[in-house]
Amino acid sequence: MNESSDLQRFQELIEASAERELTEVETAFIGRMGFRSEQCRQWLEADAEVVAAAVEQDPLRTVPAATTLDWARVDAGLRRAGALPDSRAQSRNAWPLLPAAAALLLCIGVINAILRDGLSTTPQAPPEVVAEVLDLPEGDGSLILHEGDDEGVLMIILSNG
Amino acid sequence: MDVEQDDEDRRLVHRHLSGDVGGFEDLYRRHRERIFAVLVRMLRNREDALEATQEVFIRIHRGLDSFDPSGRFLTWAYRIATNHAIDRIRRRKVRKETPIVEESVAAGSDLRTGRSSQPQGADAMEREEIATAIHDAVGELGDAHRIVFTLHCYENLSYGEIAAVLGIPVGTVMSRLYHARRKIRDALPGDWDPGGPSRSRERKPE
Protein backbone atom coordinates (compact mmCIF):
# COMPACT_ATOMS: atom_id res chain seq x y z
CA MET A 1 0.00 0.00 0.00
CA ASN A 2 1.16 3.54 -0.63
CA GLU A 3 1.11 6.32 1.96
CA SER A 4 -2.14 7.92 0.82
CA SER A 5 -4.06 4.65 0.93
CA ASP A 6 -2.56 3.90 4.34
CA LEU A 7 -3.73 7.29 5.54
CA GLN A 8 -7.17 6.71 4.10
CA ARG A 9 -7.51 3.33 5.79
CA PHE A 10 -6.14 4.77 9.02
CA GLN A 11 -8.77 7.53 8.95
CA GLU A 12 -11.58 5.14 8.07
CA LEU A 13 -10.69 2.77 10.88
CA ILE A 14 -10.41 5.53 13.47
CA GLU A 15 -13.77 6.93 12.39
CA ALA A 16 -15.27 3.44 12.40
CA SER A 17 -14.04 2.82 15.94
CA ALA A 18 -16.73 5.26 17.15
CA GLU A 19 -19.41 3.01 15.67
CA ARG A 20 -18.15 -0.51 16.11
CA GLU A 21 -15.47 -2.54 17.87
CA LEU A 22 -12.45 -2.97 15.65
CA THR A 23 -10.80 -6.31 15.05
CA GLU A 24 -7.36 -7.05 16.49
CA VAL A 25 -5.83 -6.65 13.04
CA GLU A 26 -7.48 -3.26 12.52
CA THR A 27 -6.41 -2.05 15.95
CA ALA A 28 -2.88 -3.23 15.33
CA PHE A 29 -2.88 -1.35 12.00
CA ILE A 30 -3.85 1.88 13.77
CA GLY A 31 -1.15 1.39 16.37
CA ARG A 32 1.47 0.62 13.77
CA MET A 33 0.62 3.48 11.44
CA GLY A 34 0.17 5.94 14.29
CA PHE A 35 3.82 5.45 15.10
CA ARG A 36 5.31 4.84 11.66
CA SER A 37 3.52 7.24 9.36
CA GLU A 38 4.12 10.94 9.82
CA GLN A 39 0.94 11.68 7.82
CA CYS A 40 -1.20 9.45 10.00
CA ARG A 41 0.31 10.91 13.14
CA GLN A 42 -0.33 14.46 11.96
CA TRP A 43 -3.94 13.66 11.12
CA LEU A 44 -4.39 11.85 14.45
CA GLU A 45 -3.09 14.83 16.39
CA ALA A 46 -4.69 17.60 14.34
CA ASP A 47 -6.64 18.88 17.36
CA ALA A 48 -3.91 18.18 19.88
CA GLU A 49 -2.49 21.70 20.09
CA VAL A 50 -5.81 23.50 20.48
CA VAL A 51 -7.03 20.97 23.02
CA ALA A 52 -3.78 21.12 24.98
CA ALA A 53 -4.11 24.91 25.13
CA ALA A 54 -7.67 24.58 26.40
CA VAL A 55 -6.60 22.03 29.01
CA GLU A 56 -4.17 24.66 30.33
CA GLN A 57 -7.24 26.75 31.24
CA ASP A 58 -8.94 23.90 33.10
CA PRO A 59 -8.95 24.49 36.86
CA LEU A 60 -8.26 20.77 37.25
CA ARG A 61 -4.97 21.22 35.41
CA THR A 62 -3.58 22.11 38.81
CA VAL A 63 -5.36 20.07 41.42
CA PRO A 64 -5.39 21.86 44.76
CA ALA A 65 -3.15 19.89 47.09
CA ALA A 66 -4.81 17.87 49.82
CA THR A 67 -4.51 19.46 53.25
CA THR A 68 -2.66 18.04 56.23
CA LEU A 69 -6.03 17.21 57.72
CA ASP A 70 -7.04 15.35 54.54
CA TRP A 71 -3.87 13.27 54.68
CA ALA A 72 -4.37 12.61 58.38
CA ARG A 73 -7.73 11.03 57.50
CA VAL A 74 -6.19 8.92 54.75
CA ASP A 75 -3.31 7.92 57.04
CA ALA A 76 -5.78 6.84 59.71
CA GLY A 77 -7.63 4.66 57.19
CA LEU A 78 -4.39 3.08 56.04
CA ARG A 79 -3.40 2.39 59.66
CA ARG A 80 -6.74 0.73 60.33
CA ALA A 81 -6.17 -1.44 57.27
CA GLY A 82 -2.69 -2.32 58.49
CA ALA A 83 -0.95 -0.65 55.55
CA LEU A 84 0.82 1.91 57.72
CA PRO A 85 2.40 1.18 61.09
CA ASP A 86 0.29 2.15 64.09
CA SER A 87 1.95 5.20 65.66
CA ARG A 88 0.33 4.43 69.04
CA ALA A 89 1.78 0.94 68.99
CA GLN A 90 5.14 2.46 68.19
CA SER A 91 4.93 4.79 71.16
CA ARG A 92 3.80 1.90 73.38
CA ASN A 93 6.81 -0.09 72.30
CA ALA A 94 9.12 2.83 72.79
CA TRP A 95 7.90 3.98 76.20
CA PRO A 96 9.91 1.69 78.48
CA LEU A 97 13.25 2.74 77.10
CA LEU A 98 13.86 6.26 78.38
CA PRO A 99 11.44 6.65 81.27
CA ALA A 100 12.20 3.17 82.59
CA ALA A 101 15.94 3.82 82.50
CA ALA A 102 15.45 7.07 84.37
CA ALA A 103 13.15 5.40 86.88
CA LEU A 104 15.65 2.61 87.42
CA LEU A 105 18.45 5.07 88.14
CA LEU A 106 16.25 6.93 90.61
CA CYS A 107 15.28 3.67 92.24
CA ILE A 108 18.89 2.60 92.70
CA GLY A 109 19.73 6.00 94.17
CA VAL A 110 16.88 5.82 96.65
CA ILE A 111 17.74 2.25 97.66
CA ASN A 112 21.39 3.17 98.17
CA ALA A 113 20.41 6.16 100.29
CA ILE A 114 18.13 4.04 102.46
CA LEU A 115 20.73 1.32 102.86
CA ARG A 116 23.39 3.86 103.73
CA ASP A 117 21.43 6.13 106.08
CA GLY A 118 18.52 3.95 107.17
CA LEU A 119 15.01 5.06 107.86
CA SER A 120 15.33 5.53 111.61
CA THR A 121 18.03 5.91 114.31
CA THR A 122 17.17 2.66 116.05
CA PRO A 123 19.47 -0.25 115.24
CA GLN A 124 17.80 -2.85 113.18
CA ALA A 125 18.42 -5.63 110.75
CA PRO A 126 19.15 -4.60 107.16
CA PRO A 127 15.86 -3.48 105.69
CA GLU A 128 14.11 -5.49 103.10
CA VAL A 129 13.71 -3.47 99.96
CA VAL A 130 11.39 -4.40 97.17
CA ALA A 131 11.19 -2.39 93.96
CA GLU A 132 8.64 -3.11 91.34
CA VAL A 133 7.24 -1.53 88.20
CA LEU A 134 3.51 -1.91 88.41
CA ASP A 135 1.30 -2.58 85.44
CA LEU A 136 -0.15 0.88 85.55
CA PRO A 137 -2.19 2.50 82.76
CA GLU A 138 -0.42 2.96 79.44
CA GLY A 139 2.08 5.79 79.37
CA ASP A 140 1.95 6.36 83.15
CA GLY A 141 5.42 5.08 83.83
CA SER A 142 5.00 5.08 87.60
CA LEU A 143 7.53 3.31 89.80
CA ILE A 144 6.72 2.32 93.36
CA LEU A 145 9.29 1.52 95.98
CA HIS A 146 8.38 -0.26 99.24
CA GLU A 147 10.60 -0.01 102.30
CA GLY A 148 9.48 -2.41 105.01
CA ASP A 149 10.53 -2.68 108.68
CA ASP A 150 8.96 -3.75 111.93
CA GLU A 151 7.20 -0.45 112.29
CA GLY A 152 5.65 -0.20 108.89
CA VAL A 153 6.23 0.28 105.19
CA LEU A 154 7.58 3.26 103.29
CA MET A 155 6.20 3.53 99.82
CA ILE A 156 7.82 5.85 97.29
CA ILE A 157 6.01 6.45 94.07
CA LEU A 158 7.95 7.87 91.14
CA SER A 159 5.73 8.87 88.33
CA ASN A 160 6.37 10.33 84.94
CA GLY A 161 2.63 10.71 84.37
CA MET B 1 8.88 9.74 34.07
CA ASP B 2 12.30 9.29 35.47
CA VAL B 3 14.65 6.31 35.63
CA GLU B 4 16.11 7.30 39.01
CA GLN B 5 12.62 7.63 40.40
CA ASP B 6 11.74 4.17 39.08
CA ASP B 7 14.84 2.66 40.69
CA GLU B 8 14.03 4.29 44.00
CA ASP B 9 10.47 2.93 43.77
CA ARG B 10 11.81 -0.59 43.17
CA ARG B 11 14.16 -0.21 46.14
CA LEU B 12 11.23 0.81 48.37
CA VAL B 13 9.13 -2.12 47.13
CA HIS B 14 12.05 -4.43 47.92
CA ARG B 15 12.35 -2.90 51.40
CA HIS B 16 8.66 -3.54 51.99
CA LEU B 17 8.87 -7.12 50.76
CA SER B 18 11.88 -7.66 53.02
CA GLY B 19 9.74 -6.84 56.01
CA ASP B 20 10.59 -3.16 56.50
CA VAL B 21 7.25 -1.44 57.14
CA GLY B 22 8.84 1.89 56.27
CA GLY B 23 9.20 0.79 52.65
CA PHE B 24 5.50 1.06 51.89
CA GLU B 25 5.14 4.19 53.97
CA ASP B 26 7.82 5.92 51.89
CA LEU B 27 6.18 4.77 48.65
CA TYR B 28 2.87 6.13 49.85
CA ARG B 29 4.27 9.51 50.88
CA ARG B 30 6.19 9.73 47.61
CA HIS B 31 3.24 9.12 45.29
CA ARG B 32 0.09 10.01 47.21
CA GLU B 33 -0.22 13.54 45.77
CA ARG B 34 0.14 12.25 42.24
CA ILE B 35 -2.38 9.45 42.71
CA PHE B 36 -4.74 11.88 44.44
CA ALA B 37 -4.46 14.34 41.54
CA VAL B 38 -5.18 11.71 38.89
CA LEU B 39 -8.17 10.49 40.88
CA VAL B 40 -9.53 14.04 41.26
CA ARG B 41 -9.32 14.44 37.49
CA MET B 42 -10.96 11.12 36.79
CA LEU B 43 -13.63 11.28 39.46
CA ARG B 44 -13.99 15.08 39.30
CA ASN B 45 -14.86 15.17 42.95
CA ARG B 46 -12.35 15.94 45.64
CA GLU B 47 -13.93 14.04 48.52
CA ASP B 48 -14.41 10.95 46.39
CA ALA B 49 -10.84 11.23 45.20
CA LEU B 50 -9.51 11.40 48.75
CA GLU B 51 -11.46 8.32 49.77
CA ALA B 52 -10.37 6.59 46.57
CA THR B 53 -6.72 7.47 47.26
CA GLN B 54 -6.95 5.64 50.56
CA GLU B 55 -8.53 2.60 48.93
CA VAL B 56 -6.02 2.59 46.09
CA PHE B 57 -3.09 2.57 48.51
CA ILE B 58 -4.70 -0.24 50.50
CA ARG B 59 -4.94 -2.22 47.24
CA ILE B 60 -1.35 -1.34 46.41
CA HIS B 61 -0.24 -2.51 49.86
CA ARG B 62 -2.08 -5.79 49.52
CA GLY B 63 -0.81 -6.39 46.01
CA LEU B 64 2.82 -5.32 46.32
CA ASP B 65 4.03 -8.92 46.33
CA SER B 66 2.51 -9.33 42.86
CA PHE B 67 4.30 -6.26 41.48
CA ASP B 68 6.73 -7.22 38.73
CA PRO B 69 9.97 -5.33 39.46
CA SER B 70 10.91 -5.36 35.79
CA GLY B 71 8.02 -2.94 35.22
CA ARG B 72 7.50 0.58 36.49
CA PHE B 73 5.89 0.98 39.90
CA LEU B 74 4.07 4.13 38.81
CA THR B 75 2.54 2.43 35.77
CA TRP B 76 1.36 -0.37 38.03
CA ALA B 77 0.00 2.13 40.58
CA TYR B 78 -1.77 4.10 37.84
CA ARG B 79 -3.39 0.87 36.66
CA ILE B 80 -4.74 0.18 40.13
CA ALA B 81 -5.90 3.80 40.50
CA THR B 82 -7.54 3.80 37.07
CA ASN B 83 -9.36 0.51 37.62
CA HIS B 84 -10.52 1.73 40.99
CA ALA B 85 -11.72 5.02 39.49
CA ILE B 86 -13.67 3.14 36.81
CA ASP B 87 -15.30 0.96 39.51
CA ARG B 88 -16.26 4.03 41.50
CA ILE B 89 -17.64 5.86 38.47
CA ARG B 90 -19.82 2.87 37.65
CA ARG B 91 -21.05 2.59 41.24
CA ARG B 92 -21.96 6.22 41.62
CA LYS B 93 -23.53 6.91 38.22
CA VAL B 94 -26.63 8.35 39.84
CA ARG B 95 -24.74 10.69 42.16
CA LYS B 96 -24.26 14.33 41.26
CA GLU B 97 -20.64 15.40 40.96
CA THR B 98 -19.34 18.47 42.74
CA PRO B 99 -18.63 21.20 40.18
CA ILE B 100 -15.07 21.89 41.22
CA VAL B 101 -14.63 24.27 38.32
CA GLU B 102 -17.07 26.79 39.79
CA GLU B 103 -15.34 27.25 43.11
CA SER B 104 -11.85 27.50 41.67
CA VAL B 105 -12.79 29.74 38.74
CA ALA B 106 -14.89 31.95 40.96
CA ALA B 107 -12.07 32.27 43.44
CA GLY B 108 -9.79 33.21 40.55
CA SER B 109 -6.78 31.89 42.32
CA ASP B 110 -4.29 29.12 42.13
CA LEU B 111 -5.56 26.99 44.98
CA ARG B 112 -2.24 25.24 45.33
CA THR B 113 -0.23 28.36 45.98
CA GLY B 114 -2.99 30.66 47.14
CA ARG B 115 -1.75 33.31 44.67
CA SER B 116 -4.35 35.36 42.92
CA SER B 117 -4.25 34.90 39.20
CA GLN B 118 -7.53 36.57 38.37
CA PRO B 119 -7.26 38.20 34.99
CA GLN B 120 -9.21 41.33 34.19
CA GLY B 121 -11.96 42.24 31.73
CA ALA B 122 -12.32 40.40 28.45
CA ASP B 123 -9.42 38.16 29.32
CA ALA B 124 -11.18 37.00 32.46
CA MET B 125 -14.38 36.27 30.58
CA GLU B 126 -12.55 34.36 27.89
CA ARG B 127 -10.59 32.31 30.38
CA GLU B 128 -13.69 31.54 32.38
CA GLU B 129 -15.56 30.55 29.25
CA ILE B 130 -12.79 28.21 28.14
CA ALA B 131 -12.32 26.83 31.65
CA THR B 132 -16.01 26.02 31.91
CA ALA B 133 -16.15 24.59 28.39
CA ILE B 134 -13.16 22.29 28.86
CA HIS B 135 -14.28 21.16 32.29
CA ASP B 136 -17.80 20.36 31.12
CA ALA B 137 -16.60 18.71 27.92
CA VAL B 138 -14.17 16.43 29.74
CA GLY B 139 -16.90 15.58 32.24
CA GLU B 140 -19.22 14.60 29.42
CA LEU B 141 -16.76 12.22 27.78
CA GLY B 142 -17.54 8.54 28.17
CA ASP B 143 -15.52 6.77 30.87
CA ALA B 144 -13.16 5.04 28.46
CA HIS B 145 -12.40 8.24 26.54
CA ARG B 146 -12.12 10.36 29.68
CA ILE B 147 -9.61 8.00 31.29
CA VAL B 148 -7.39 7.97 28.20
CA PHE B 149 -7.73 11.73 27.76
CA THR B 150 -6.87 12.40 31.41
CA LEU B 151 -3.82 10.16 31.37
CA HIS B 152 -2.53 11.79 28.17
CA CYS B 153 -3.43 15.46 28.56
CA TYR B 154 -3.16 15.87 32.34
CA GLU B 155 -0.70 13.16 33.40
CA ASN B 156 1.41 13.50 30.23
CA LEU B 157 1.59 9.75 29.65
CA SER B 158 2.55 8.62 26.16
CA TYR B 159 0.38 6.35 24.00
CA GLY B 160 2.53 3.37 24.99
CA GLU B 161 2.40 4.18 28.68
CA ILE B 162 -1.39 4.53 28.60
CA ALA B 163 -1.64 1.20 26.80
CA ALA B 164 0.47 -0.37 29.56
CA VAL B 165 -1.58 1.24 32.33
CA LEU B 166 -4.92 0.21 30.88
CA GLY B 167 -3.83 -3.08 29.39
CA ILE B 168 -5.22 -2.20 25.95
CA PRO B 169 -3.59 -2.01 22.50
CA VAL B 170 -1.86 1.22 21.46
CA GLY B 171 -4.24 1.45 18.49
CA THR B 172 -7.19 1.59 20.89
CA VAL B 173 -5.48 4.35 22.88
CA MET B 174 -4.98 6.32 19.66
CA SER B 175 -8.56 5.99 18.47
CA ARG B 176 -10.02 6.83 21.90
CA LEU B 177 -7.77 9.84 22.24
CA TYR B 178 -8.68 11.02 18.74
CA HIS B 179 -12.41 10.92 19.50
CA ALA B 180 -11.94 12.51 22.92
CA ARG B 181 -9.94 15.38 21.43
CA ARG B 182 -12.49 15.95 18.71
CA LYS B 183 -15.34 16.12 21.22
CA ILE B 184 -13.37 18.59 23.32
CA ARG B 185 -12.49 20.67 20.26
CA ASP B 186 -16.15 20.78 19.22
CA ALA B 187 -17.14 21.97 22.70
CA LEU B 188 -14.77 24.95 22.61
CA PRO B 189 -16.00 28.30 21.28
CA GLY B 190 -15.60 28.24 17.50
CA ASP B 191 -13.70 31.51 17.41
CA TRP B 192 -11.31 30.68 20.22
CA ASP B 193 -7.72 31.20 19.22
CA PRO B 194 -5.31 29.51 21.63
CA GLY B 195 -2.50 31.70 20.30
CA GLY B 196 -4.64 34.82 20.68
CA PRO B 197 -4.02 37.97 22.68
CA SER B 198 -4.67 36.53 26.12
CA ARG B 199 -1.99 33.87 25.70
CA SER B 200 0.44 36.37 24.20
CA ARG B 201 -0.08 38.69 27.13
CA GLU B 202 0.32 35.82 29.55
CA ARG B 203 3.84 35.17 28.35
CA LYS B 204 4.98 38.77 28.86
CA PRO B 205 6.96 39.34 32.04
CA GLU B 206 5.32 41.69 34.54
Side-chain angles (χ1 to χ4, degrees):
Chain A
M1 278 197 195
N2 61 34
E3 276 204 17
S4 68
S5 59
D6 279 345
L7 175 63
Q8 193 181 350
R9 185 167 181 234
F10 185 80
Q11 290 169 333
E12 283 168 1
L13 288 177
I14 295 250
E15 296 292 355
S17 69
E19 309 295 329
R20 66 174 174 88
E21 198 166 325
L22 301 183
T23 64
E24 277 183 30
V25 174
E26 290 170 334
T27 305
F29 177 82
I30 292 176
R32 198 167 56 249
M33 296 313 292
F35 279 122
R36 280 190 195 165
S37 161
E38 187 65 25
Q39 276 187 315
C40 292
R41 184 75 166 229
Q42 277 178 1
W43 179 83
L44 183 71
E45 298 186 343
D47 291 328
E49 197 180 333
V50 173
V51 170
V55 164
E56 289 297 320
Q57 308 294 320
D58 187 352
L60 285 184
R61 181 77 184 131
T62 306
V63 173
T67 64
T68 310
L69 197 61
D70 289 335
W71 288 128
R73 281 167 49 203
V74 177
D75 289 359
L78 290 173
R79 282 200 182 91
R80 276 195 303 276
L84 289 182
D86 186 344
S87 57
R88 284 172 57 209
Q90 278 183 323
S91 67
R92 267 201 302 276
N93 291 338
W95 96 260
L97 297 175
L98 277 178
L104 191 63
L105 282 175
L106 279 169
C107 179
I108 291 168
V110 170
I111 292 169
N112 278 338
I114 292 169
L115 289 175
R116 188 180 65 242
D117 302 331
L119 289 172
S120 69
T121 54
T122 50
Q124 58 186 31
E128 179 190 351
V129 177
V130 178
E132 62 179 296
V133 178
L134 298 182
D135 186 19
L136 290 169
E138 180 188 317
D140 179 81
S142 300
L143 184 76
I144 300 177
L145 179 75
H146 301 270
E147 166 64 13
D149 63 19
D150 292 339
E151 295 172 8
V153 173
L154 171 67
M155 183 179 282
I156 301 169
I157 301 175
L158 305 169
S159 173
N160 67 350
Chain B
M1 299 198 178
D2 179 43
V3 174
E4 279 178 26
Q5 179 178 295
D6 292 346
D7 289 343
E8 175 63 10
D9 287 343
R10 285 188 197 99
R11 200 181 59 76
L12 292 173
V13 171
H14 181 72
R15 262 179 64 193
H16 169 79
L17 295 176
S18 306
D20 179 352
V21 289
F24 175 78
E25 189 166 5
D26 288 351
L27 272 174
Y28 159 66
R29 302 211 183 280
R30 197 170 154 81
H31 295 296
R32 64 184 186 179
E33 286 287 358
R34 197 164 185 168
I35 295 294
F36 171 66
V38 75
L39 286 167
V40 168
R41 291 179 188 125
M42 285 179 186
L43 298 170
R44 306 185 85 71
N45 180 298
R46 195 179 161 77
E47 271 303 305
D48 263 10
L50 203 60
E51 202 178 292
T53 302
Q54 178 183 306
E55 289 166 7
V56 164
F57 275 100
I58 289 172
R59 287 186 183 192
I60 289 175
H61 180 259
R62 288 179 183 159
L64 262 183
D65 53 355
S66 68
F67 167 67
D68 174 6
S70 65
R72 302 186 62 240
F73 172 78
L74 207 52
T75 301
W76 185 73
Y78 268 134
R79 186 181 305 148
I80 291 173
T82 304
N83 287 337
H84 187 69
I86 292 168
D87 286 347
R88 280 184 89 90
I89 290 167
R90 284 177 185 156
R91 283 203 306 263
R92 64 151 204 212
K93 278 289 184 194
V94 289
R95 268 172 52 192
K96 185 77 181 164
E97 295 173 346
T98 305
I100 298 169
V101 67
E102 287 172 17
E103 61 188 52
S104 44
V105 169
S109 63
D110 180 340
L111 296 179
R112 186 186 287 275
T113 61
R115 277 199 315 266
S116 173
S117 60
Q118 192 149 13
Q120 301 297 313
D123 240 17
M125 287 174 64
E126 186 188 88
R127 278 168 181 258
E128 193 168 329
E129 188 183 2
I130 298 301
T132 305
I134 182 84
H135 183 84
D136 291 351
V138 174
E140 283 166 16
L141 290 175
D143 298 342
H145 288 174
R146 177 159 45 148
I147 301 284
V148 168
F149 185 78
T150 301
L151 291 174
H152 186 73
C153 294
Y154 293 83
E155 305 303 321
N156 302 317
L157 266 59
S158 67
Y159 294 123
E161 285 169 333
I162 296 169
V165 166
L166 299 177
I168 57 177
V170 172
T172 306
V173 174
M174 287 175 172
S175 61
R176 284 182 189 176
L177 196 52
Y178 171 82
H179 291 297
R181 279 194 191 120
R182 195 162 65 176
K183 281 178 188 163
I184 300 290
R185 180 71 186 93
D186 290 347
L188 295 173
D191 58 347
W192 183 57
D193 174 13
S198 62
R199 280 170 66 81
S200 310
R201 273 200 295 278
E202 197 177 61
R203 293 192 200 100
K204 281 186 185 172
E206 289 295 316

